[in-house]
Amino acid sequence: MNLEGRRQSRNVEDRRGQSSMRGIKLGGGAIVVALILMLLGVNPMPLLEQLGTQETAEQAEGGSGFTQEEEELATFAKIILAGTEDVWTAQFAKYGYEYQAPKMVLYTGATSSGCGAANSSIGPFYCSADQTVYIDLSFFTSMKSSIGADGDLAYAYVIAHEVGHHVQYLLGTLGEAHKLMNRSSQKEANEISVRLELQADYYAGVWANNDDRMYDSIDDNDIRNALDCASKIGDDYLQKKANGYVVSDSFTHGTARQRNAWLKKGIAYGDIEHGDSFTPAYSEL
């Protein structure tokens, strides 16, 4: 992708390297000391806060402690989020709406969210309770090493997909779908989940289409990488890779074919109107 000279979003909270406890950066020794103090009936928080402040000061003096690749991925994520802000602000304005941008939290390993504990093992996700996208940037390197999905637009698609859930939240789609899922059977709830995920894929494509129009940011190779990524995170592809077989009733995100098709459709149309994944019969998605 061509991202040269692009602005970075200010709606980003960087928690990388922090403990999930009050955002204090703690080493193993500090945690052991805290446990000992708790066993002795002493409140450890004043000491932990002091240690956290000291460590933060040491990091400021000695550098961030992150590799060049990690810093580049953080900058990349902030630029992509800024691009989604530009695109969806313009898209909402077409219909007389005001777009309210989500926040993004970058974290390492685990953190807290408005939807409960966040762990890198579950991958990037959107929490409607605090309107925030959560992502451990190591997910991108895992994508490359575990399933061979690589490239700027492939990574950007992951972020744009989660922002797509925020668009669903703002339009009321996400809330209505969750209400319906709560009173449905497990099989039916899974099918509704698939519809939500495919629409988020479509919205990611809408972002890609319009980001390219605004900034001339994408070429054909970028699109191939993103579509390849969409196929490789399909439920059937991942299940077969992990287990050697597929259980279709357990799908929650859509098949490789479906995810590829809905992302491709969003890139082709670049508008909200063609993204209805709820009206077609489930077998026709």
Side-chain angles (χ1 to χ4, degrees):
M1 291 182 68
N2 176 23
L3 301 175
E4 187 175 353
R6 297 277 295 270
R7 74 176 182 90
Q8 300 179 34
S9 174
R10 295 175 178 269
N11 294 313
V12 179
E13 180 182 350
D14 193 343
R15 300 181 190 171
R16 292 177 298 152
Q18 295 183 6
S19 164
S20 61
M21 183 168 59
R22 295 195 183 183
I24 299 174
K25 300 183 178 181
L26 301 174
I31 293 174
V32 171
V33 171
L35 291 174
I36 293 173
L37 289 174
M38 290 173 67
L39 291 173
L40 294 174
V42 179
N43 180 8
M45 288 311 299
L47 173 62
L48 294 180
E49 289 171 356
Q50 180 179 354
L51 290 173
T53 301
Q54 179 180 349
E55 185 171 339
T56 300
E58 290 172 354
Q59 277 203 330
E61 181 179 348
S64 67
F66 300 118
T67 66
Q68 181 179 346
E69 181 184 21
E70 289 169 335
E71 288 298 285
E72 289 174 352
L73 283 173
T75 298
F76 173 83
K78 294 173 186 177
I79 292 174
I80 297 304
L81 185 63
T84 67
E85 293 165 356
D86 296 342
V87 166
W88 286 112
T89 295
Q91 287 295 307
F92 272 52
K94 287 182 180 179
Y95 305 95
Y97 300 132
E98 182 179 354
Y99 180 66
Q100 298 172 329
K103 294 179 293 182
M104 175 185 284
V105 169
L106 307 179
Y107 71 96
T108 303
T111 191
S112 58
S113 79
C115 297
N119 190 293
S120 59
S121 63
I122 66 175
F125 70 96
Y126 171 72
C127 173
S128 59
D130 56 15
Q131 299 180 49
T132 301
V133 173
Y134 290 84
I135 183 167
D136 183 330
L137 295 173
S138 66
F139 180 78
F140 294 136
T141 53
S142 296
M143 278 173 51
K144 181 177 180 180
S145 61
S146 62
I147 60 174
D150 192 21
D152 285 350
L153 190 59
Y155 298 164
Y157 153 58
V158 172
I159 296 172
H161 171 94
E162 299 306 330
V163 173
H165 286 311
H166 179 66
V167 172
Q168 291 173 323
Y169 169 77
L170 294 177
L171 295 177
T173 310
L174 191 64
E176 289 301 315
H178 284 165
K179 288 179 184 177
L180 186 58
M181 290 169 71
N182 288 335
R183 58 176 185 265
S184 300
S185 68
Q186 187 61 59
K187 181 176 182 296
E188 292 170 335
N190 287 346
E191 291 179 355
I192 296 168
S193 176
V194 168
R195 292 181 186 275
L196 278 172
E197 298 299 333
L198 294 181
Q199 188 177 64
D201 281 340
Y202 177 87
Y203 287 157
V206 172
W207 161 76
N209 174 301
N210 288 276
D211 192 87
D212 186 46
R213 291 185 184 185
M214 289 179 173
Y215 300 109
D216 192 24
S217 55
I218 296 168
D219 61 26
D220 290 343
N221 188 55
D222 291 322
I223 294 174
R224 282 192 293 271
N225 287 338
L227 293 175
D228 177 65
C229 177
S231 297
K232 289 179 176 177
I233 56 176
D235 287 321
D236 54 342
Y237 183 95
L238 293 176
Q239 285 187 4
K240 191 167 185 179
K241 184 177 177 62
N243 306 316
Y245 59 89
V246 169
V247 182
S248 58
D249 284 352
S250 69
F251 292 172
T252 57
H253 285 66
T255 66
R257 180 197 63 78
Q258 289 171 327
R259 302 203 68 172
N260 181 294
W262 280 84
L263 174 60
K264 188 174 183 179
K265 185 178 180 182
I267 293 173
Y269 283 107
D271 60 30
I272 293 177
E273 288 91 334
H274 291 86
D276 179 11
S277 59
F278 289 86
T279 300
Y282 186 73
S283 59
E284 296 176 359
L285 290 174

